[in-house]
Amino acid sequence: MSDDRRLDVLRAIVQDYVRTSEPVGSKALLERHELGVSAATVRNDMALLEDEGLITAPHTSAGRVPTDAGYRLFVDRLSSVKPLTRAERTAIQRFLDGAVDLDDVVARTTRLLSSLTHQVAVMQYPSLSRSTVRHVELVPVGGGRLMIVLIVNTGRVEQRVVDVGRDLADAEDLVADLRSRVNAEVAGLALTAAPTRMAAVVDAVDPLDRPVAESVAAALGEALQEETEERVVLSGTANLARVGSDFPTSLSLVLDALEEHVVLLRLMGGLTAGDGEHVAVSIGAENAYVPLQTTSVVTSRYGVAGGLGVVGPTRMDYPQAMASVRAVARYVAEILDG
């Protein structure tokens, strides 16, 4: 059997099984695909594919289904990821462009990915550890209270209100000077490096004003410290219930695993390499976390700040999922980097 014909038969089996969820026989292959060979040749090719561990018989019927190894070969031999149509790309852009803030971007992205792929969509919030400071705003809010607003390059905003121990009603110049000094030191700096640079701000102000500067430095440090824990958002878990036959004994385990955000973050971190042009696919037993070994995970990175992707059964429309994940990652990166 030639490699090209073997791949043609395997590709046809994968496509039919993904579409119908029914084991695929040689007769169906000949009816649905122009393979250009006889029924006997297709049966022989299927037997050889089974010997190679690429397809298997789920029961005593004549039909065969792909194995994890079969899906892997199918994905690896995709000549390219088929781009979405112009209409699909326009719809994605319009939907995401309507977002009003970072939370809305994340919520819209997961809903969109779930809708496009009919899988569970997962998105990691932009990682502060890989982000930079865009701007720090200081706003007196009455008495001795000062609001400190940290704006990150990804659009993420954190704020704290602190009591600086003195009335700021007549301290506009002090607040303006601190704002200027803080941004001069930390704007454009990696968030992980910002706290140490605040020491220079404290040292540079008049000794009488240092308690205020120390309060600002402490609040910024707390904001960064509290946000070191990464966050993920899910959408479309109900899609798994619609394909419950793909998880005859493991659906509850998969759902439990999806609730463990630490697991998802590790999974995303391990798979999201490169940028929005690169799509990573982990199939079945390739997933290190046992409860997810009946699933496949398709992910990509948006910019350098985080990852997004979909989780679903191994009987997944891989070309569609990969194209959708790649396209959405591109648009999210444009929005957050813009």
Side-chain angles (χ1 to χ4, degrees):
M1 177 177 64
S2 71
D3 287 345
D4 288 344
R5 197 175 73 224
R6 177 190 66 173
L7 289 174
D8 287 342
V9 173
L10 175 63
R11 185 180 301 110
I13 292 172
V14 170
Q15 291 171 347
D16 283 5
Y17 183 60
V18 167
R19 185 176 64 253
T20 68
S21 77
E22 296 292 334
V24 183
S26 58
K27 181 179 179 181
L29 287 178
L30 289 169
E31 291 175 348
R32 297 169 184 165
H33 303 272
E34 297 181 358
L35 296 175
V37 294
S38 67
T41 298
V42 171
R43 286 194 294 271
N44 182 62
D45 289 348
M46 291 177 69
L48 291 173
L49 286 169
E50 188 169 10
D51 289 342
E52 294 175 1
L54 299 174
I55 60 175
T56 187
H59 41 72
T60 57
S61 73
R64 298 294 185 270
V65 301
T67 64
D68 288 357
Y71 285 125
R72 169 49 63 193
L73 182 60
F74 170 78
V75 169
D76 288 348
R77 293 302 177 91
L78 288 174
S79 58
S80 62
V81 179
K82 182 180 178 181
L84 299 183
T85 65
R86 180 183 297 273
E88 288 172 324
R89 295 196 303 270
T90 299
I92 291 172
Q93 185 175 15
R94 287 177 178 172
F95 186 71
L96 293 181
D97 282 348
V100 297
D101 56 24
L102 179 60
D103 290 336
D104 197 18
V105 170
V106 174
R108 284 172 178 258
T109 298
T110 52
R111 292 202 307 271
L112 177 65
L113 260 183
S114 176
S115 175
L116 288 171
T117 64
H118 307 292
Q119 312 294 350
V120 180
V122 184
M123 182 172 177
Q124 177 186 13
Y125 262 78
S127 172
L128 285 180
S129 64
R130 293 190 293 270
S131 302
T132 59
V133 177
R134 177 174 290 172
H135 182 72
V136 176
E137 187 60 49
L138 305 180
V139 183
V141 291
R145 295 187 303 158
L146 186 66
M147 178 184 291
I148 299 141
V149 183
L150 170 65
I151 304 172
V152 181
N153 66 315
T154 59
R156 197 164 178 170
V157 177
E158 300 295 330
Q159 62 183 41
R160 295 289 187 278
V161 176
V162 296
D163 190 331
V164 298
R166 59 184 277 190
D167 193 340
L168 297 174
D170 298 319
E172 292 89 349
D173 290 344
L174 169 59
V175 173
D177 180 62
L178 271 178
R179 182 188 302 114
S180 176
R181 291 180 183 276
V182 168
N183 283 290
E185 286 292 337
V186 303
L189 202 64
L191 297 188
T192 52
T196 57
R197 295 289 287 271
M198 286 301 297
V201 175
V202 174
D203 292 340
V205 301
D206 187 284
L208 293 176
D209 298 326
R210 283 181 186 169
V212 178
E214 289 170 350
S215 296
V216 171
L220 279 175
E222 288 174 6
L224 294 169
Q225 182 65 33
E226 290 180 13
E227 291 300 325
T228 54
E229 181 179 353
E230 304 291 352
R231 298 163 59 194
V232 292
V233 172
L234 303 177
S235 182
T237 52
N239 286 326
L240 293 181
R242 298 189 183 98
V243 289
S245 59
D246 288 281
F247 305 100
T249 61
S250 62
L251 181 57
S252 61
L253 296 176
V254 173
L255 292 173
D256 287 343
L258 292 177
E259 292 181 358
E260 296 290 336
H261 286 193
V262 172
V263 171
L264 289 179
L265 285 166
R266 289 175 180 170
L267 191 67
M268 300 286 284
L271 292 174
T272 50
D275 54 24
E277 295 300 314
H278 177 83
V279 180
V281 181
S282 181
I283 300 170
E286 295 172 356
N287 293 312
Y289 191 58
V290 173
L292 292 179
Q293 289 184 349
T294 55
T295 72
S296 287
V297 185
V298 180
T299 62
S300 185
R301 187 177 293 284
Y302 57 90
V304 297
L308 56 79
V310 296
V311 180
T314 54
R315 187 179 64 85
M316 176 187 293
D317 185 344
Y318 290 98
Q320 169 68 12
M322 294 167 70
S324 298
V325 167
R326 183 178 68 176
V328 171
R330 285 175 177 171
Y331 283 113
V332 170
E334 290 176 5
I335 290 170
L336 296 183
D337 292 341

